[in-house]
Amino acid sequence: MIQPKPPSRTAPSSVAATTIVSSLLSVQTSGAGFTDLTAEIAQFVREAGAREGAVTLFIRHTSASLTIQENADPTVLHDLMTALNRAAPENAGWRHDTEGPDDMPAHIKTMFTATSLQVPVLRGALALGTWQAIYLIEHRTRPHHREIVLQFIGATA
Amino acid sequence: MIQPKPPSRTAPSSVAATTIVSSLLSVQTSGAGFTDLTAEIAQFVREAGAREGAVTLFIRHTSASLTIQENADPTVLHDLMTALNRAAPENAGWRHDTEGPDDMPAHIKTMFTATSLQVPVLRGALALGTWQAIYLIEHRTRPHHREIVLQFIGATA
Amino acid sequence: MIQPKPPSRTAPSSVAATTIVSSLLSVQTSGAGFTDLTAEIAQFVREAGAREGAVTLFIRHTSASLTIQENADPTVLHDLMTALNRAAPENAGWRHDTEGPDDMPAHIKTMFTATSLQVPVLRGALALGTWQAIYLIEHRTRPHHREIVLQFIGATA
């Protein structure tokens, strides 16, 4: 917890923010797993003419969620799913079981990950790091139709 | 992780965003458990005249947090609490114990859930899914007074 | 889950929001642990002339993350790290191991905490609670260079 050199920061750059752009993204999942939404969000940023600001993602479900994770090695996604299954195993004495053994674990996995996310937009592009991708995580065993509200707030071209 | 059909997205709709509306929500909890804040947030959206934009919720505490979860079957909330207790049990060798055995687990549960959340507002209404409610989670055993900053950024009527 | 008295809320206060201010914060970590960013963020808020709105923090990495936690007793941070290590231990059968035994646990810890955070700004100051500090969590064993996008959206002085 020692910090060897002080943090540095670029000078704040400022623009007038005047626009909100909203869109509803519909995704058909194929059961438990990750769907990479990055290209769709980047396309939304382009169509919106977004220049400086932030994109909010909001998933309208309680058994699917959002995360930003590594996009390079697919075994990362496999291991993330393993970690979620360990944190919320099926048949672990849950009371809520009327919708199948995968439903309550799906709610728990949603609670431990994200329902809303924000990604800044700088000079017209998502400010993601080199290895970051934006994923929807389907927590139910069977395929589902999922809706995500996309909203850009900021300055447009 | 196969995606059977491509995601679809509605055309971006755009409005001028010019207003920030802030309010402080005070909640008295009755000890560990969930408090549904949805009606209060919806009332804030109405009073603010919010039309298009997003509401940010920020809880000003480190032993209580926020989540968006199922509003239908109360056993879901019971099981979510069980999952939090399993992830952060009392008397599990924590060093921080001066504020009681429930305090350190409360901090851990806060870290694994949300301190800030964003919910889009579309056409004057919170864009929640059918089964979504916004909850405060009290992680301490005893009742506490909790404060949540509500802030709408966007276009008003 | 009983709520003894109804929540109360201050009257919404409204301002015109017209500015986005962005900055990139660079932090050199010294290996696994917490770095308190609160003073840097407060400095950014002052330099930006931020008056009413919200600061978004976005970390551009998948093996380091953000959290808002207690700033008083350092054993809290120690125990939070213990809880993260228990949730994502090394050598627990992860498939992704080409970048060292600490890499996959680092991704999992990132998923269970936050990549993006929002903190409201009210009357020119971060609306943090008394005991809240904003932390970067380094999940890798070795020191790393980390970048965080800071963005204020709202009204400036």
Side-chain angles (χ1 to χ4, degrees):
Chain A
M1 304 191 195
I2 300 150
Q3 197 174 307
K5 72 174 188 182
S8 68
R9 195 162 47 72
T10 61
S13 80
S14 178
V15 297
T18 52
T19 308
I20 305 232
V21 187
S22 306
S23 180
L24 187 66
L25 177 62
S26 295
V27 179
Q28 175 66 41
T29 69
S30 55
F34 292 78
T35 301
D36 188 340
L37 305 177
T38 315
E40 278 293 325
I41 314 298
Q43 176 66 16
F44 167 70
V45 164
R46 277 191 299 273
E47 282 180 30
R51 195 157 55 87
E52 202 89 3
V55 174
T56 297
L57 290 87
F58 179 85
I59 187 163
R60 303 179 71 235
H61 305 277
T62 62
S63 56
S65 61
L66 302 169
T67 195
I68 292 179
Q69 274 292 335
E70 203 200 90
N71 56 13
D73 181 349
T75 62
V76 169
L77 301 182
H78 173 92
D79 288 343
L80 291 175
M81 195 54 77
T82 301
L84 288 166
N85 288 335
R86 289 179 185 175
E90 295 191 9
N91 306 310
W94 313 118
R95 282 203 200 166
H96 175 76
D97 58 5
T98 50
E99 296 171 61
D102 62 322
D103 189 59
M104 191 59 224
H107 293 310
I108 297 166
K109 293 167 186 178
T110 297
M111 179 174 66
F112 285 148
T113 54
T115 294
S116 68
L117 276 183
Q118 270 208 312
V119 184
V121 172
L122 301 174
R123 288 172 299 282
L126 292 166
L128 293 169
T130 311
W131 310 107
Q132 287 183 311
I134 305 166
Y135 292 101
L136 178 160
I137 322 178
E138 174 61 71
H139 300 301
R140 299 300 306 271
T141 304
R142 284 188 295 188
H144 278 73
H145 173 81
R146 302 300 192 179
E147 290 183 351
I148 298 162
V149 178
L150 306 182
Q151 194 171 63
F152 172 75
I153 303 188
T156 50
Chain B
M1 305 191 190
I2 300 150
Q3 196 174 306
K5 71 174 188 182
S8 68
R9 194 163 49 71
T10 61
S13 80
S14 178
V15 298
T18 53
T19 308
I20 305 234
V21 186
S22 305
S23 178
L24 188 66
L25 177 63
S26 296
V27 179
Q28 176 66 41
T29 69
S30 54
F34 291 78
T35 302
D36 188 341
L37 304 177
T38 316
E40 278 293 325
I41 314 299
Q43 175 67 15
F44 167 69
V45 164
R46 277 191 298 274
E47 283 181 29
R51 195 158 54 90
E52 203 87 3
V55 174
T56 297
L57 290 87
F58 179 84
I59 187 161
R60 304 179 71 234
H61 305 277
T62 61
S63 55
S65 61
L66 301 169
T67 195
I68 293 180
Q69 273 292 335
E70 202 202 90
N71 57 12
D73 181 349
T75 63
V76 169
L77 301 182
H78 173 90
D79 288 343
L80 291 175
M81 194 55 77
T82 300
L84 288 166
N85 289 335
R86 289 178 185 175
E90 294 192 10
N91 307 309
W94 313 118
R95 282 203 200 166
H96 175 76
D97 58 7
T98 49
E99 296 171 60
D102 63 322
D103 189 58
M104 191 59 224
H107 293 310
I108 297 166
K109 292 167 185 176
T110 296
M111 179 175 64
F112 285 148
T113 54
T115 294
S116 68
L117 275 183
Q118 270 207 311
V119 184
V121 172
L122 301 175
R123 289 173 298 281
L126 292 167
L128 293 169
T130 311
W131 309 107
Q132 287 184 311
I134 305 165
Y135 292 100
L136 179 161
I137 323 178
E138 174 62 71
H139 299 300
R140 299 300 306 272
T141 304
R142 282 189 296 191
H144 278 73
H145 173 81
R146 303 300 191 179
E147 289 184 352
I148 297 162
V149 178
L150 305 182
Q151 194 171 62
F152 172 75
I153 304 187
T156 50
Chain C
M1 305 190 192
I2 301 148
Q3 197 175 305
K5 71 174 187 181
S8 67
R9 194 163 48 72
T10 61
S13 82
S14 178
V15 297
T18 52
T19 308
I20 304 231
V21 187
S22 305
S23 180
L24 187 66
L25 177 63
S26 295
V27 178
Q28 176 65 42
T29 69
S30 55
F34 292 78
T35 301
D36 188 340
L37 304 178
T38 316
E40 278 293 324
I41 313 298
Q43 176 66 15
F44 167 70
V45 164
R46 277 191 298 272
E47 282 181 30
R51 194 158 55 89
E52 204 88 3
V55 175
T56 297
L57 290 86
F58 179 84
I59 187 161
R60 302 179 72 235
H61 305 277
T62 62
S63 57
S65 61
L66 302 169
T67 195
I68 293 180
Q69 272 292 335
E70 200 199 273
N71 57 12
D73 181 349
T75 63
V76 169
L77 300 183
H78 173 92
D79 288 343
L80 291 175
M81 195 54 78
T82 301
L84 287 166
N85 288 335
R86 289 179 185 175
E90 294 191 9
N91 307 310
W94 313 119
R95 282 203 200 165
H96 175 76
D97 58 4
T98 51
E99 296 172 62
D102 62 321
D103 189 58
M104 191 59 224
H107 293 309
I108 297 166
K109 292 166 185 177
T110 297
M111 179 175 65
F112 285 148
T113 55
T115 294
S116 68
L117 275 182
Q118 270 207 311
V119 184
V121 172
L122 302 175
R123 288 172 299 282
L126 291 167
L128 292 169
T130 310
W131 309 108
Q132 285 183 313
I134 305 165
Y135 292 100
L136 179 160
I137 323 178
E138 174 61 71
H139 300 300
R140 299 300 306 271
T141 304
R142 283 188 296 189
H144 278 73
H145 172 81
R146 302 301 191 178
E147 291 184 350
I148 297 162
V149 178
L150 306 181
Q151 194 171 62
F152 172 75
I153 303 188
T156 50

